[in-house]
Amino acid sequence: MSRGSGKGLSLKDKLDGNELDLSLCDLNEVPVRELAALPKATILDLSCNNLISLPSDFCSLMHLVKLDLSKNRLQQLPLDFGRLVNLQHLDLLNNRLVTLPVSFAQLKNLKWLDLKDNPLDPVLAKVAGDCLDEKQCKQAAVKVLQHMKAIQSEQDRQRQRKLQAEREMEKKREAEQRAKEAQERELRKREKAEEKERRRREYDAQKAAKQEMEKKTKKETVHSRKPASSSRPPQPPRHKPSWSRSVLRVLLFVLFCILCTLAACKLTELQHQPLCISVNTLYEDVVAALQNHKTLQNMLQHNSQ
């Protein structure tokens, strides 16, 4: 394995107590996996190498207390560099750093910091100071942490404002959506009412047309009947039957019944019945009386002559 990658180095041979010196090893990459296997190495020296960046998993080395990255070519630190919460001493002398990650504010145990000889942002450079002695480096750690905490707070406030704005925008969109839905419901309701009213008018119109048609048909029927009735010849007035006609009809009916009874008693086998015998006897008596009456009339007429 190549020396430039840091692999192939016998890290245990370089471990002296809790100090691991990997300076002047011409490293291009940090052997994070091998370093993670040595949690006793709380002091790590990576100075005077060719490091351009640190891998993101470098921040998993949370056991580090003192870290020397001076005299490399680092252009930036990992965004989650603040995970190294146990870090107390950090040397970043003579690199190519312009800014620090906001997570740097989480290094609450940081007591010593050197940022000299970096193309720092003017504000950050002024906060960090020169770090020419122990006291200045300690002050640099305090001031930079405060500065990064202020930046972090400002970013948090910005995120909160942005989040609040997004929430308000979302509420506004929801309110607009509710208003739109309510308007659509009202429109559908109005359209439904108009459709119902249209159908009702059509129904009323159809009903009125039907009634008008029935009236017209009835009138035509009446008109068609009138000429037929007017073409008939005048009928003579009918006289109501008088009581004398009624009596005459009753007498004729009685006479007809008597004749039928006489015929039945004379011509049928009923003549031997008691009723028919009485009827025949009465008939003969009447005939005899009429004959006597006729004989008397003839005698009177002869005497008068």
Side-chain angles (χ1 to χ4, degrees):
M1 287 182 285
S2 65
R3 178 179 176 84
S5 64
K7 298 178 181 179
L9 293 174
S10 180
L11 298 186
K12 290 184 179 181
D13 295 339
K14 292 182 173 293
L15 183 61
D16 183 10
N18 64 341
E19 296 184 15
L20 180 60
D21 188 0
L22 296 179
S23 62
L24 300 170
C25 291
D26 197 23
L27 297 177
N28 296 320
E29 298 178 0
V30 179
V32 177
R33 184 175 299 179
E34 289 79 359
L35 292 174
L38 298 173
K40 293 182 180 180
T42 58
I43 299 175
L44 177 61
D45 188 354
L46 291 171
S47 63
C48 302
N49 283 291
N50 298 317
L51 302 177
I52 298 176
S53 64
L54 299 177
S56 59
D57 56 350
F58 180 85
C59 301
S60 64
L61 304 176
M62 298 175 61
H63 60 278
L64 294 178
V65 175
K66 183 176 181 180
L67 177 61
D68 190 350
L69 292 169
S70 63
K71 298 181 181 179
N72 279 281
R73 293 184 294 168
L74 295 174
Q75 298 179 1
Q76 62 182 6
L77 298 178
L79 294 178
D80 55 349
F81 191 81
R83 290 177 59 193
L84 303 174
V85 291
N86 293 314
L87 199 60
Q88 298 180 13
H89 188 286
L90 177 60
D91 193 345
L92 294 170
L93 171 70
N94 194 10
N95 278 279
R96 299 178 182 179
L97 298 173
V98 177
T99 60
L100 297 175
V102 179
S103 64
F104 198 92
Q106 299 174 12
L107 301 176
K108 58 183 179 180
N109 292 313
L110 189 64
K111 301 294 188 298
W112 194 96
L113 176 63
D114 190 355
L115 288 172
K116 290 192 307 294
D117 299 331
N118 281 280
L120 297 175
D121 176 81
V123 177
L124 180 60
K126 183 177 180 181
V127 172
D130 295 331
C131 190
L132 299 177
D133 53 29
E134 186 76 11
K135 182 178 179 180
Q136 289 182 351
C137 291
K138 289 182 178 181
Q139 290 178 349
V142 175
K143 292 181 180 180
V144 169
L145 283 178
Q146 292 176 350
H147 175 69
M148 297 309 298
K149 286 180 181 179
I151 294 177
Q152 186 181 45
S153 298
E154 181 61 26
Q155 289 188 355
D156 290 341
R157 285 193 293 271
Q158 290 179 359
R159 281 195 296 270
Q160 289 294 329
R161 286 194 293 268
K162 183 179 179 181
L163 182 61
Q164 184 65 24
E166 290 177 353
R167 290 177 178 173
E168 292 178 357
M169 184 62 67
E170 182 65 23
K171 290 181 180 179
K172 184 178 179 181
R173 284 195 295 266
E174 291 177 355
E176 291 176 353
Q177 183 65 25
R178 288 194 296 270
K180 183 178 179 181
E181 292 176 354
Q183 186 176 4
E184 291 177 353
R185 286 195 299 271
E186 185 64 25
L187 179 60
R188 288 194 297 269
K189 184 177 180 181
R190 186 162 56 249
E191 290 176 350
K192 187 176 180 181
E194 292 176 354
E195 178 65 17
K196 184 176 181 181
E197 180 64 21
R198 184 185 64 80
R199 292 199 304 268
R200 188 186 65 79
R201 288 197 298 269
E202 290 180 354
Y203 173 77
D204 292 342
Q206 292 176 358
K207 186 176 181 181
K210 185 177 180 181
Q211 292 176 352
E212 186 66 24
M213 184 62 69
E214 290 177 353
K215 289 181 180 179
K216 186 176 180 182
T217 304
K218 188 180 293 184
K219 287 181 179 180
E220 290 177 353
T221 304
V222 171
H223 288 313
S224 63
R225 289 178 179 177
K226 282 184 177 180
S229 61
S230 61
S231 61
R232 294 179 182 177
Q235 298 291 334
R238 295 183 178 181
H239 298 284
K240 294 183 179 180
S242 60
W243 65 270
S244 59
R245 290 187 178 182
S246 300
V247 172
L248 181 60
R249 288 178 181 177
V250 171
L251 293 176
L252 289 175
F253 178 74
V254 172
L255 180 60
F256 175 76
C257 292
I258 293 171
L259 291 176
C260 290
T261 304
L262 288 174
C265 290
K266 288 290 185 180
L267 301 177
T268 63
E269 296 178 354
L270 298 175
Q271 59 184 344
H272 300 294
Q273 297 295 326
L275 178 61
C276 286
I277 293 173
S278 300
V279 171
N280 290 331
T281 302
L282 180 62
Y283 172 73
E284 292 174 356
D285 292 340
V286 171
V287 170
L290 290 175
Q291 287 178 353
N292 292 330
H293 181 66
K294 186 175 181 181
T295 302
L296 180 60
Q297 285 182 350
N298 290 331
M299 290 176 64
L300 291 175
Q301 183 177 7
H302 178 70
N303 291 329
S304 65
Q305 289 177 357

